[in-house]
Amino acid sequence: MRVLMINPNRFRWHVAPLGLEYVCGSLLRENIPFDLLDFNFESGKNVFKKLKTGQYDIVGITVRNIDTSFLAKVEFFLPEIKTLIEKVKLTHTCNVVLGGAGFSVLPEEILKYTGADFGVAGYAEEALPQLVRAIREGGDFSTIENLVWRQNGSITTNHRGTGQYEHMPPRSRTIVRNRSYFNVLGVSGIETLRGCTMRCGFCNIPDIVGPKVVTRHIPHIIEELRELKSLGCHHLFFCDSEFNIAPPSFSMNLCEEIIRADIGVTWSANLIPVRKMISKDVLKLMKQAGCNEVLISADNGSDSILASMNKPHKAEEIALYTDYVREAGIKSIHTYLFGWPGESEKTLDESADLIKRTQPDQAVIYAGIRIFPNTRLEEIAIQEGEITAQTDLVQPVYYRPNWVLKDVIPYIFDKTSNIPGCIQPTKHIDFLNLFRQNACLMGKIPPGFVEFVDYLNDLSFKDKTKILGHTALDYLFPSRCRYIPISEGDASSI
Ligand code: B12
């Protein structure tokens, strides 16, 4: 039985396919051989050549993102996945299996949309090997937890377990090309825990990762960090819903062990700014253990919006956190999400004031909120008649997009344009802001540079590319994300 696992995610800035690597690790542990095809390292021609000659029985595809979830630059990735599946089916008699963080958000709908045969909703280390065996041996699909499949003409999902695994085994990190991701493309990650205890009004992730936090065995994390370091990765992203939803004793023990092991990697992590979920001591240890940057999930600076979003924190806790993080010597990045129901000039002013007052190293401003199923936002949008219960949420649907584009974005951009460190990722990237940030981070600004950037800032996009070239632009401005359509030109080689 030949298995092929594919990562088609070329969205920039690139992230190494962590979920795919973990799930491939479980195939290895179960002695199920597979080939791996990462579209970031193959020319279009090779992809289809391999598919044509491979004779695979099972093709697994990781669906990391459905879309950008970013109103100012909406890109919908599933049509590419659908095309890929059609090509695979043209050349093979095989079963196509989907999985991944994006797939898990709307598993049945995505299976239907793409025409895949099977899917695993959520963590898949147990389900995928079971599925391969069931396909190979003609076994029973109905007992495989989290499996989404076609039965008698309709799509069903088996019993949803969390798949969090209290006793997760150690993981190998040599399956995907982490070194190349680190050196050339983007960033690699590691997981320290599973689950999410929150229920934010715009997110259905707790349904997928489970509402209970399960932390990993610390020696396994240390081993994995060592392996990644030996592969040449010096900076990693801790890919947990939030690093500090774990009990503080776990975070402290983990940091102490990283310090003791003297691994020498730096890392970034997501933090939720809830007063009782962080202490100065933990932050100090995080810094000593290599954490040099945290993304604080601020989401909004207005208490009334935060409450309506069902966030567990208030604006003052964001301020307190930013101070703590600064004191610990860690760089703070606030992430905001504007355009929640009830957002107004008053609430946007509150957020702009908070950013001004707290002075994070960066504040990333997203405006326009993607509607996901089983969320408070979906409920509100239905009540307000924006969508109906039948609206197809596989397509990127945003809450009141016209209002956000016309009123919210111009207002908040105007209010924050002079605040240092504010990043307003729109279609029209603010070159000056980003250039300065990149240059400031390196601590060296050559004479005349700022003037040069001012000059660039006023040029048309075409002229900027003429001067800088596409590649330089991609590296300097990671938010200039571009998804390379896999079907473009490639299909002819089949
Ligand atoms: C950490 C994180 C990030 C980090 C990633 C850092 C890194 N080095 O990887 C950063 C901040 C950079 C980031 C960026 C983005 N992110 Co993000 N991110 C996450 C987060 C919190 C965790 C993802 C993760 O790594 N989990 C741990 C791994 C082990 O789990 P997993 O990927 O789900 O894999 C398991 C299963 O899915 C399954 N599986 C995986 N592959 C396959 C394949 C097969 C065949 C099978 C059967 C199973 C399977 O098995 C794995 C092991 O059990 C999730 C939310 C969440 N809690 O899931 C959002 C999330 C994945 N991100 C999301 C988005 C939208 C983005 C961005 C597009 C945002 C933007 N506009 O820039 C970018 C995309 C970056 C890129 N190039 O792809 C969305 C994706 C859904 C969607 N709307 O499309 C999520 C779900 C958040 C959300 N609620 O909207 N993200």
Side-chain angles (χ1 to χ4, degrees), residues 5 9 11-16 18-20 22-23 60-62 64-70 97-102 104-105 120 122-125 128 187-189 191 194 203 205 209 237 239-241 270 295 366 372:
M5 301 295 279
N9 180 21
F11 184 68
R12 299 174 190 196
W13 46 286
H14 296 272
V15 297
L18 178 69
L20 185 72
Y22 284 168
V23 86
I61 303 173
T62 190
R64 168 60 169 75
N65 308 306
I66 304 170
D67 55 25
T68 50
S69 289
F70 179 34
V97 187
L98 301 183
S104 305
V105 172
V120 179
Y123 299 123
E125 280 93 341
L128 186 62
V187 68
S188 285
E191 205 180 33
R194 288 194 164 174
C203 179
I205 291 295
V209 299
F237 198 99
C239 292
D240 312 313
S241 297
N270 293 325
L295 278 78
Y366 288 109
F372 288 115

Side-chain angles (χ1 to χ4, degrees), residues 4-7 9-24 26-27 40 58-71 73 75 77-78 96-105 110 118-129 131 147 162-163 165 171 173 186-196 202-206 208-209 235-242 270 295 335 366 370 372 398 478-479 481:
L4 174 69
M5 301 295 279
I6 300 182
N7 174 33
N9 180 21
R10 286 165 165 167
F11 184 68
R12 299 174 190 196
W13 46 286
H14 296 272
V15 297
L18 178 69
L20 185 72
E21 184 160 36
Y22 284 168
V23 86
C24 285
S26 72
L27 293 178
N40 287 307
I58 298 175
V59 174
I61 303 173
T62 190
V63 182
R64 168 60 169 75
N65 308 306
I66 304 170
D67 55 25
T68 50
S69 289
F70 179 34
L71 180 60
K73 189 162 175 31
E75 283 186 65
F77 303 131
L78 293 183
V96 174
V97 187
L98 301 183
F103 173 76
S104 305
V105 172
I110 295 178
F118 295 96
V120 179
Y123 299 123
E125 280 93 341
E126 291 195 348
L128 186 62
L131 175 64
L147 187 72
T162 60
Y165 317 121
R171 293 146 179 188
R173 299 308 303 269
V187 68
S188 285
I190 182 166
E191 205 180 33
T192 75
L193 55 86
R194 288 194 164 174
C196 183
F202 46 80
C203 179
N204 71 344
I205 291 295
I208 299 157
V209 299
H235 186 85
L236 296 162
F237 198 99
F238 280 18
C239 292
D240 312 313
S241 297
E242 305 283 352
N270 293 325
L295 278 78
T335 53
Y366 288 109
R370 171 42 157 125
F372 288 115
Y398 289 78
S479 31
C481 303

Side-chain angles (χ1 to χ4, degrees), residues 9 17 22 29 215 265 480 483 489:
N9 180 21
Y22 284 168
R29 279 192 299 277
T215 54
V265 288
R480 214 179 77 88
Y483 185 76

Side-chain angles (χ1 to χ4, degrees), residues 153-200:
S154 61
I155 294 174
T156 45
T157 304
N158 292 346
H159 170 72
R160 290 295 296 267
T162 60
Q164 289 177 315
Y165 317 121
E166 311 271 353
H167 307 290
M168 287 180 271
R171 293 146 179 188
S172 162
R173 299 308 303 269
T174 51
I175 300 169
V176 310
R177 291 168 59 174
N178 282 297
R179 183 202 285 271
S180 305
Y181 271 101
F182 177 76
N183 284 339
V184 189
L185 293 172
V187 68
S188 285
I190 182 166
E191 205 180 33
T192 75
L193 55 86
R194 288 194 164 174
C196 183
T197 49
M198 287 173 296
R199 192 72 232 191
C200 306

Side-chain angles (χ1 to χ4, degrees), residues 193-341:
L193 55 86
R194 288 194 164 174
C196 183
T197 49
M198 287 173 296
R199 192 72 232 191
C200 306
F202 46 80
C203 179
N204 71 344
I205 291 295
D207 293 340
I208 299 157
V209 299
K212 192 178 122 208
V213 172
V214 173
T215 54
R216 290 184 61 198
H217 186 47
I218 290 177
H220 291 169
I221 303 176
I222 301 290
E223 217 175 289
E224 206 172 309
L225 285 171
R226 274 214 183 92
E227 185 168 29
L228 286 162
K229 175 71 198 284
S230 75
L231 291 169
C233 303
H234 306 298
H235 186 85
L236 296 162
F237 198 99
F238 280 18
C239 292
D240 312 313
S241 297
E242 305 283 352
F243 179 67
N244 60 329
I245 50 172
S249 58
F250 169 79
S251 313
M252 293 187 90
N253 288 341
L254 174 60
C255 290
E256 276 162 358
E257 288 307 317
I258 296 176
I259 297 164
R260 192 165 302 133
D262 194 18
I263 297 172
V265 288
T266 55
W267 46 280
S268 317
N270 293 325
L271 288 186
I272 177 91
V274 177
R275 191 188 303 261
K276 59 176 194 277
M277 284 163 78
I278 201 77
S279 72
K280 289 186 181 183
D281 291 342
V282 175
L283 284 167
K284 235 190 263 163
L285 273 177
M286 284 169 65
K287 170 72 184 173
Q288 283 172 35
C291 176
N292 58 5
E293 170 189 270
V294 291
L295 278 78
I296 300 178
S297 314
D299 288 334
N300 210 280
S302 154
D303 282 345
S304 63
I305 298 285
L306 286 169
S308 172
M309 284 175 159
N310 202 26
K311 295 299 298 186
H313 63 272
K314 292 209 160 65
E316 266 327 292
E317 288 168 272
I318 302 170
L320 185 82
Y321 245 59
T322 314
D323 283 347
Y324 280 12
V325 168
R326 189 178 293 118
E327 259 176 57
I330 299 174
K331 190 176 145 206
S332 59
I333 302 176
H334 286 186
T335 53
Y336 289 94
L337 209 47
F338 297 118
W340 181 262

